[in-house]
Amino acid sequence: SQQGEEDPQALSIQEGENATMNCSYKTSINNLQWYRQNSGRGLVHLILIRSNEREKHSGRLRVTLDTSKKSSSLLITASRAADTASYFCATDAAINTGTASKLTFGTGTRLQVTL
Amino acid sequence: DAGVTQSPTHLIKTRGQQVTLRCSPISGHKSVSWYQQVLGQGPQFIFQYYEKEERGRGNFPDRFSARQFPNYSSELNVNALLLGDSALYLCASSLWREDTEAFFGQGTRLTVV
C-alpha cells in the first residue's frame, strides 16, 4: 500500500514559475526522499531530508519536512520545460537499524511545465 | 561509472508463464531492492537483499521470489503470471547504511497478455 499522498495529483505551470508539491505520510520515518520520474522510466533521486531536519536546499530545489504534521513539500523554483516529469516522495522507515531500508512511495504529482 | 542496469527493458509474457528479471547494482553497492510500479501509481516495495540474504519483503504473493548473487547482482522471478502483474519493475541499489539514497535502474516493462 502507498504510504501517503502527494498533492496535487497534477500541476501545470509556465516556464519560470515556481512549482510546489506536497506529500503526506502516515508512520514515523528515518528520512524522506524525493524522486523524479520521466515518462514512466527509472527514478532519479533528487534530495534526502532526515527526520531531524526541517529544510534542505539543492540547486533550484527546496524541501521542507514537518514531522509533527507528517508532511513534506518540494519547491522547484524558476521551473523549466525539462522539469516536466512525475515527482514522488518516499519515506524510509527502516527495516533494520543501521541499514538502508525499504522506501514507501506516495502516489506522485505529475508536473507539466509549458513554454 | 555505470549506473544500475536492468534487463530486459521490455518483456511480453502470457498468463501462467514464468519470468526472470535481472539487475546489476552500482559498483560498491551491496544492497539491492525490487519495486513494482503499476501504471498511475507509485512504486511498491517487493524485496530487499543484502549480502545474498533477504532483508525485507513487501506484501506480495509467494509467486514472487528473488535472489542475490556473490557479485551482488540480483534476479526477480515471478511464477504463474497474472494479467495484474503487468507493471514496470524497478531495481534499486544502495549502500548498506542509514540515510542513504537509492539509485534506480530504468526498469523492465512487463506486459502479461
Side-chain angles (χ1 to χ4, degrees):
Chain A
S1 61
Q2 304 290 156
Q3 163 72 295
E5 300 285 331
E6 272 96 334
D7 170 49
Q9 290 187 339
L11 180 61
S12 183
I13 60 174
Q14 291 190 322
E15 205 170 47
E17 294 181 333
N18 295 340
T20 299
M21 288 159 269
N22 302 298
C23 165
S24 61
Y25 58 92
K26 299 174 182 174
T27 63
S28 296
I29 61 172
N30 288 339
N31 63 65
L32 185 144
Q33 305 180 34
W34 284 90
Y35 287 83
R36 185 185 75 226
Q37 186 176 41
N38 292 86
S39 303
R41 299 307 292 179
L43 296 161
V44 175
H45 184 267
L46 296 176
I47 198 164
L48 180 154
I49 185 165
R50 294 176 176 80
S51 59
N52 61 353
E53 297 176 314
R54 291 297 168 259
E55 186 172 312
K56 204 161 184 179
H57 297 256
S58 176
R60 295 184 295 113
L61 305 180
R62 172 178 171 259
V63 168
T64 62
L65 178 64
D66 187 335
T67 53
S68 66
K69 295 181 180 179
K70 290 186 170 58
S71 67
S72 175
S73 67
L74 170 67
L75 168 67
I76 304 174
T77 60
S79 62
R80 307 165 181 168
D83 295 328
T84 295
S86 290
Y87 291 82
F88 293 91
C89 69
T91 53
D92 179 347
I95 300 171
N96 299 301
T97 300
T99 71
S101 58
K102 77 169 188 177
L103 296 174
T104 304
F105 285 83
T107 52
T109 293
R110 295 184 306 279
L111 174 65
Q112 176 76 42
V113 182
T114 57
L115 297 174
Chain B
D1 286 340
V4 178
T5 58
Q6 292 187 244
S7 63
T9 54
H10 294 85
L11 203 53
I12 299 175
K13 288 287 189 178
T14 304
R15 278 178 299 174
Q17 285 188 315
Q18 175 264 344
V19 68
T20 298
L21 311 181
R22 296 175 176 83
C23 171
S24 293
I26 291 172
S27 177
H29 285 188
K30 299 182 179 181
S31 176
V32 170
S33 298
W34 288 95
Y35 293 80
Q36 180 197 65
Q37 186 177 22
V38 174
L39 194 63
Q41 297 184 17
Q44 291 205 16
F45 173 77
I46 310 175
F47 287 110
Q48 182 187 34
Y49 274 78
Y50 172 68
E51 292 287 8
K52 298 174 287 181
E53 291 187 9
E54 181 184 302
R55 299 303 182 111
R57 173 187 283 258
N59 188 24
F60 280 81
D62 291 343
R63 298 185 296 108
F64 289 76
S65 63
R67 56 180 175 168
Q68 186 177 34
F69 299 97
N71 66 354
Y72 306 111
S73 67
S74 178
E75 287 182 352
L76 175 70
N77 296 286
V78 186
N79 294 321
L81 285 167
L82 304 174
L83 295 179
D85 295 330
S86 296
L88 181 68
Y89 288 85
L90 294 160
C91 172
S93 77
S94 62
L95 296 170
W96 188 247
R97 68 178 193 211
E98 285 185 339
D99 291 337
T100 187
E101 63 268 42
F103 294 87
F104 284 80
Q106 289 300 300
T108 293
R109 174 73 63 187
L110 172 65
T111 302
V112 182
V113 297

